């Protein structure tokens, strides 16, 4: 039975799952629903358990949420490991994964969408990294209504977007503070903590190895990208992608 990942190309949470599959060299099929219908696709793929992607079909199971997907992949194919063997290092890695999931992921998403949704060209570039004229027409025809729904779903407005930017920068501060002498976040090798932190900083930081990266960004997003990429933590994100 094929391993199938239902995903959204742009999403950094989906990037976590893709990277884990690639890191473990697990052959799989990727399926992308029509934007705007991805919530329905998630519900169908997860048998009603999740309304957000990614969802992984694995050995007859339907696993939603990037953290749960990585846990399932660790059990399915332990080597190479993403969980440290040492109990203390494992606890640290999982705690950092959770922190970046909860603190960095939603705030980066809120900031990027706030500055991308008003521009149909930027939104199309983010959602469709390969030419898709039919889907782009559908997007433009329904952009006003879709944009309102996205703002309501993710809690996006001017005030919260400004706060989100501050929290993204604070997440970079935390990343740089948590790096160990090894250059990794937990122990002396690449782990789920490194994967989560690096993946969740995309697509604001855009390493060339990151698939499905938008061709361009709006000025506020590009400004933040330049600011973060110039920092040691931004260079670390590029290094993690280049190495792993």
């Amino acid at each position: 039975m094929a391993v199938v990942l239902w995903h959204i190309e742009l999403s950094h949470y989906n990037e976590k799952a893709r990277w884990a599959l690639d890191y473990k060299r697990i052959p799989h099929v990727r399926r992308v629903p029509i934007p705007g219908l991805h919530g329905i696709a998630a519900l169908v793929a997860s048998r009603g358990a999740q309304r957000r992607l990614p969802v992984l079909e694995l050995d007859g199971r339907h696993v939603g949420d990037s953290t749960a997907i990585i846990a399932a992949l660790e059990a399915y194919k332990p080597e190479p490991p993403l969980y440290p063997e040492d109990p203390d290092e494992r606890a640290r890695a999982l705690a950092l994964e959770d922190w970046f999931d909860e603190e960095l992921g939603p705030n980066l998403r809120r900031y990027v969408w706030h500055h991308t949704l008003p521009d149909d060209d930027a939104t199309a570039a983010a959602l469709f990294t390969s030419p898709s004229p039919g889907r782009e027409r559908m997007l433009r025809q329904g952009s006003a209504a879709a944009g309102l729904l996205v703002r309501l779903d993710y809690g996006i407005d001017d005030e919260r977007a400004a706060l989100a930017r501050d929290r993204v920068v604070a997440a970079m501060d935390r990343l740089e503070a948590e790096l160990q002498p090894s250059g990794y976040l937990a122990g002396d090798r690449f782990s789920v903590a490194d994967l989560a932190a690096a993946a969740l900083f995309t697509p604001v930081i855009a390493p060339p190895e990151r698939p499905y990266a938008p061709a361009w960004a709006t000025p506020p997003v590009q400004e933040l990208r330049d600011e973060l990429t110039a920092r040691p933590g931004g260079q670390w994100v590029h290094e993690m992608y280049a190495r792993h």
Side-chain angles (χ1 to χ4, degrees):
M1 181 179 296
V3 177
V4 178
L5 180 70
W6 287 88
H7 72 121
I8 302 173
E9 294 177 348
L10 174 66
S11 167
H12 45 357
Y13 288 110
N14 289 256
E15 172 64 2
K16 275 184 65 188
R18 290 190 297 259
W19 193 347
L21 284 160
D22 288 344
Y23 183 73
K24 290 179 173 292
R25 298 180 176 87
I26 297 174
H28 61 283
V29 176
R30 295 180 183 177
R31 294 181 179 166
V32 183
I34 296 174
L37 300 180
H38 55 276
I40 296 172
L43 286 168
V44 172
S46 67
R47 301 299 191 265
Q50 296 280 340
R51 72 175 190 90
R52 298 196 192 281
L53 298 176
V55 172
L56 184 73
E57 298 178 13
L58 179 70
D59 281 346
R61 292 177 292 152
H62 300 81
V63 185
D65 182 81
S66 61
T67 297
I69 287 171
I70 292 175
L73 294 176
E74 277 289 286
Y76 177 77
K77 190 175 185 292
E79 296 293 332
L82 282 168
Y83 290 175
E85 183 177 356
D86 178 82
D88 291 337
E89 291 176 0
R90 178 179 295 199
R92 174 182 172 84
L94 292 173
L96 286 169
E97 179 194 17
D98 183 67
W99 190 87
F100 284 107
D101 273 354
E102 299 300 321
E103 296 297 326
L104 171 60
N107 284 298
L108 188 148
R109 178 174 59 196
R110 185 173 292 125
Y111 182 78
V112 169
W113 276 126
H114 179 70
H115 292 290
T116 302
L117 286 170
D119 187 324
D120 285 352
D121 290 335
T123 301
L127 292 175
F128 309 121
T129 54
S130 298
S132 182
R135 293 197 297 173
E136 286 189 32
R137 281 196 299 272
M138 290 177 59
L139 170 71
R140 294 175 192 279
Q141 289 168 0
S143 62
L148 178 59
L149 290 175
V150 171
R151 289 182 179 278
L152 291 172
D153 192 18
Y154 295 143
I156 301 171
D157 58 33
D158 290 347
E159 183 178 352
R160 280 179 280 194
L163 179 60
R165 191 190 196 284
D166 292 341
R167 288 179 173 169
V168 170
V169 173
M172 179 60 77
D173 295 339
R174 174 80 186 266
L175 168 62
E176 293 173 349
E178 294 286 358
L179 283 174
Q180 303 294 288
S182 64
Y184 294 106
L185 287 167
D188 59 1
R189 60 168 296 164
F190 187 71
S191 76
V192 66
D194 306 294
L195 185 154
L200 289 172
F201 266 110
T202 63
V204 166
I205 297 176
E209 298 85 0
R210 202 277 201 195
Y212 315 116
W216 60 285
T218 59
V221 175
Q222 184 64 51
E223 179 185 358
L224 181 59
R225 175 178 295 173
D226 293 342
E227 176 184 333
L228 296 180
T229 300
R231 292 182 54 159
Q235 293 303 299
W236 176 89
V237 171
H238 278 267
E239 186 176 354
M240 289 300 100
Y241 267 87
R243 284 188 193 176
H244 303 290

